[in-house]
Amino acid sequence: MQQSNNSKSLETSLVSTRAEITDSEFRNFKVWIHKTAGINLSEHKKPLVMGRLAPRMRHYGLLKYQDYFKFLTDEENPGELQIAIDLLTTNETYFFREPKHFDYLRETILKHHPSGQAMRVWSAASSSGEEAYSLGMTMSDSLGHGPWEILASDLSTRVLEKARSGHYAMSRASHIPKGYLRKYCLKGVNDQKDTFLINPELRSRIHVRQINLNEVLPEIGYFDLIVIRNVMIYFDAVTRRKVTERVVQRLKSGGYLFIGHSESLNGITDCVKPIQPSIYRKP
């Protein structure tokens, strides 16, 4: 019995040891995630890859990253493939991030949108839904019950489930205007204390769907506004150009494109014209 416990202890110790990823192992993940998601992993991302994948290796009792790479790329393990994609894609977001975009949406785009005319918006890298619901609150406040809708997409199924739920910790509400918080959010009670839920009417306007921007886009129609912020910085120049081309094709003539304030389309495309920093319009 003592010998069995010692063996189990040794096995646990080995599995819990944090393996160092070799250059060739990192290169495998780098090539794979670039091909799959268009993400460009620089050398200084090695600790990130190790930290995010180590728990999955421990889960399967694997000691080398090359063994985990073989496992996740095996056609018999599609579920693990999606888990690894979810872990290696960055999903930092919060409500009403980059508020100047919402000011421009409210004061310029929505203010001059023809009454009664349908408006479609695509949040193309919506992560866990904060961006899409921020857009929805702004549109609902301006357009009311008029014909408008939002497509919220992301590559990660994990964050899309969060977006579908519309359920967030109350600590996430700090950037939501007080009027919007009262109008569009339901405060949790009892075991849901310290959380809030986006109200059902607003959630019904947000259609959540998995879309890989690094592949040919599905048939999703055309949009008056496409928001693709803080995602291009993870792509190399070739991928940025291809993704931008696909996205802009889905923009209506006269439609707007929002990108992150730290991003630029200079040298990437001339199919949209800059209106002000990070805001473009298709002629």
Side-chain angles (χ1 to χ4, degrees):
M1 188 66 167
Q2 183 65 38
Q3 183 178 2
S4 176
N5 286 340
N6 287 342
S7 297
K8 185 175 181 180
S9 176
L10 177 60
E11 180 182 356
T12 302
S13 175
L14 286 172
V15 173
S16 63
T17 299
R18 187 174 183 179
E20 290 290 327
I21 191 168
T22 66
D23 290 343
S24 61
E25 288 171 336
F26 178 75
R27 195 177 306 115
N28 285 336
F29 286 103
K30 178 183 174 74
V31 171
W32 167 71
I33 199 66
H34 183 271
K35 181 179 179 181
T36 303
I39 295 173
N40 186 34
L41 287 176
S42 57
E43 291 297 315
H44 75 275
K45 294 291 186 180
K46 279 185 179 180
L48 179 144
V49 172
M50 290 170 55
R52 295 190 177 182
L53 299 185
R56 301 305 298 167
M57 292 172 60
R58 287 197 296 270
H59 177 76
Y60 292 108
L62 301 173
L63 298 179
K64 295 182 179 179
Y65 284 90
Q66 65 186 30
D67 294 332
Y68 178 66
F69 183 77
K70 290 177 182 178
F71 180 79
L72 74 88
T73 53
D74 190 318
E75 291 183 356
E76 296 184 1
N77 303 313
E80 190 64 29
L81 191 73
Q82 184 61 56
I83 289 173
I85 290 172
D86 289 351
L87 290 171
L88 293 180
T89 51
T90 301
N91 297 294
E92 179 186 358
T93 187
Y94 52 85
F95 286 95
F96 290 91
R97 185 180 186 182
E98 301 185 358
K100 288 185 178 180
H101 282 160
F102 296 96
D103 293 341
Y104 191 88
L105 172 60
R106 181 179 59 256
E107 297 167 7
T108 301
I109 300 176
L110 296 177
K111 187 175 181 179
H112 296 98
H113 187 74
S115 178
Q117 182 174 312
M119 181 168 183
R120 301 188 73 226
V121 174
W122 179 18
S123 173
S126 65
S127 186
S128 47
E130 287 90 337
E131 177 178 273
Y133 289 122
S134 300
L135 291 166
M137 292 178 199
T138 306
M139 293 173 68
S140 178
D141 190 53
S142 294
L143 302 179
H145 297 288
W148 63 268
E149 65 176 359
I150 296 172
L151 171 64
S153 73
D154 202 276
L155 177 61
S156 169
T157 56
R158 174 176 53 87
V159 296
L160 289 177
E161 283 305 309
K162 182 70 173 177
R164 286 189 183 93
S165 75
H167 190 204
Y168 302 93
M170 189 60 73
S171 59
R172 305 290 291 173
S174 59
H175 294 283
I176 302 177
K178 298 300 182 184
Y180 287 179
L181 191 61
R182 288 190 296 268
K183 188 175 182 180
Y184 300 113
C185 305
L186 306 173
K187 186 177 181 180
V189 298
N190 299 327
D191 60 337
Q192 300 297 329
K193 183 182 178 182
D194 298 325
T195 71
F196 69 95
L197 182 69
I198 304 297
N199 74 29
E201 184 177 355
L202 186 63
R203 288 208 314 275
S204 70
R205 300 279 192 138
I206 315 295
H207 308 288
V208 179
R209 180 173 179 177
Q210 184 188 33
I211 294 178
N212 187 346
L213 299 175
N214 201 44
E215 297 178 348
V216 175
L217 297 177
E219 183 50 56
I220 53 177
Y222 297 89
F223 300 88
D224 301 278
L225 168 65
I226 298 177
V227 182
I228 179 170
R229 306 186 301 175
N230 306 304
V231 64
M232 296 288 192
I233 55 176
Y234 299 105
F235 298 155
D236 58 27
V238 173
T239 305
R240 281 197 296 272
R241 192 170 293 110
K242 290 180 178 179
V243 168
T244 302
E245 180 181 349
R246 294 187 192 103
V247 168
V248 169
Q249 285 178 350
R250 291 296 168 179
L251 194 61
K252 295 178 182 178
S253 178
Y256 293 86
L257 179 71
F258 290 177
I259 64 174
H261 286 306
S262 63
E263 300 170 314
S264 172
L265 296 183
N266 185 34
I268 300 296
T269 182
D270 57 3
C271 292
V272 289
K273 305 301 180 184
I275 302 299
Q276 56 180 259
S278 74
I279 297 177
Y280 295 79
R281 192 174 190 185
K282 190 174 185 178

